[in-house]
Amino acid sequence: MNHISILGSGRVAGALAGKLAASGHDIAIGSRDPVAAAAKWSGPAVRHMDTRAAAGGAQIVVNATPGDSALARLTELRAELEEKILIDISNASARGADGMPAGLLYTEGSLGERLQQALPGTRVVKTLNTMLFSVMADPRSLSVPASVFVSGNDEGAKATVVALLGDLGWPADWIVDLGDIASARATEALMLMVPHVLRRYGFKPFALSLAR
């Protein structure tokens, strides 16, 4: 059992929290309004607390906050994230008039790299950022095998994250280790396809995957 805190209270955080809690992990959801988040929660038993307390009390922290503000938010938690594994699943993008992603915020790099630079005492691992949120915790909902990519500098941290991906339902041969955190710029760039996919097929489960 791992003590895992998921920062965010939206659909992404809810999907991951429910599946990981059901898999036997001790889960806390950190949000700006934990009372409101707890009132809406209907999944397995989890703890609700403010963001700083959640980050400080976990072995592993999952960033499920909006990517355009994640760097500023998480930098404020430097002390709480020291020596922790930070799983970053967000994409940093500008928003178009329709609310869809309209371009990368970090065109010369990635959010994953920026987080690792800002939090040198934290082991950042990028993953789960190339699919609709529902697929993160239910990869077999798709009609064909999907890929989940992993990027990070620390091999031990990546091994821990790969094990958690297994608890989320990802078979080992669907997990693709791309290398160090610099490879996150490749998976984050795939976000540019997302608005076109959603406009073409609607809000249906999908994953951007590697055929091999």
Side-chain angles (χ1 to χ4, degrees):
M1 180 181 69
N2 290 295
H3 298 284
I4 303 171
S5 288
I6 301 174
L7 307 185
S9 57
R11 292 173 293 188
V12 175
L16 295 177
K19 187 65 172 284
L20 290 172
S23 297
H25 297 286
D26 175 37
I27 303 298
I29 296 178
S31 62
R32 293 176 177 176
D33 190 345
V35 174
K40 295 187 296 183
W41 181 254
S42 60
V46 300
R47 292 173 292 127
H48 292 269
M49 57 187 66
D50 68 73
T51 301
R52 191 173 298 277
Q59 299 166 308
I60 300 167
V61 178
V62 180
N63 172 38
T65 67
D68 57 356
S69 57
L71 182 59
R73 292 181 192 215
L74 295 176
T75 300
E76 292 180 354
L77 302 174
R78 183 196 298 264
E80 288 78 11
L81 294 172
E82 186 75 15
E83 299 184 358
K84 308 286 178 68
I85 295 174
L86 174 64
I87 303 175
D88 177 38
I89 64 176
S90 61
N91 291 309
S93 64
R95 294 286 172 179
D98 60 357
M100 291 279 194
L104 299 173
L105 284 185
Y106 307 118
T107 56
E108 297 182 2
S110 65
L111 173 59
E113 290 172 279
R114 295 288 184 101
L115 288 170
Q116 187 61 86
Q117 292 164 3
L119 303 167
T122 302
R123 294 174 289 167
V124 178
V125 179
K126 188 84 179 190
T127 193
L128 291 171
N129 63 309
T130 55
M131 62 200 69
L132 193 68
F133 73 92
S134 62
V135 179
M136 296 177 183
D138 189 13
R140 295 186 184 276
S141 62
L142 300 178
S143 59
V144 297
S147 298
V148 59
F149 303 102
V150 179
S151 302
N153 294 342
D154 188 285
E155 296 300 322
K158 286 196 291 185
T160 297
V161 172
V162 166
L164 289 178
L165 291 173
D167 289 342
L168 289 170
W170 289 93
D173 59 348
W174 294 12
I175 301 171
V176 182
D177 185 344
L178 293 178
D180 65 17
I181 196 63
S183 64
R185 66 182 64 185
T187 59
E188 290 187 29
L190 290 176
M191 180 275 303
L192 297 174
M193 292 180 62
V194 170
H196 306 290
V197 171
L198 293 178
R199 292 185 186 109
R200 176 65 180 83
Y201 296 104
F203 204 71
K204 298 178 181 179
F206 73 89
L208 303 174
S209 299
L210 175 68
R212 49 183 171 152

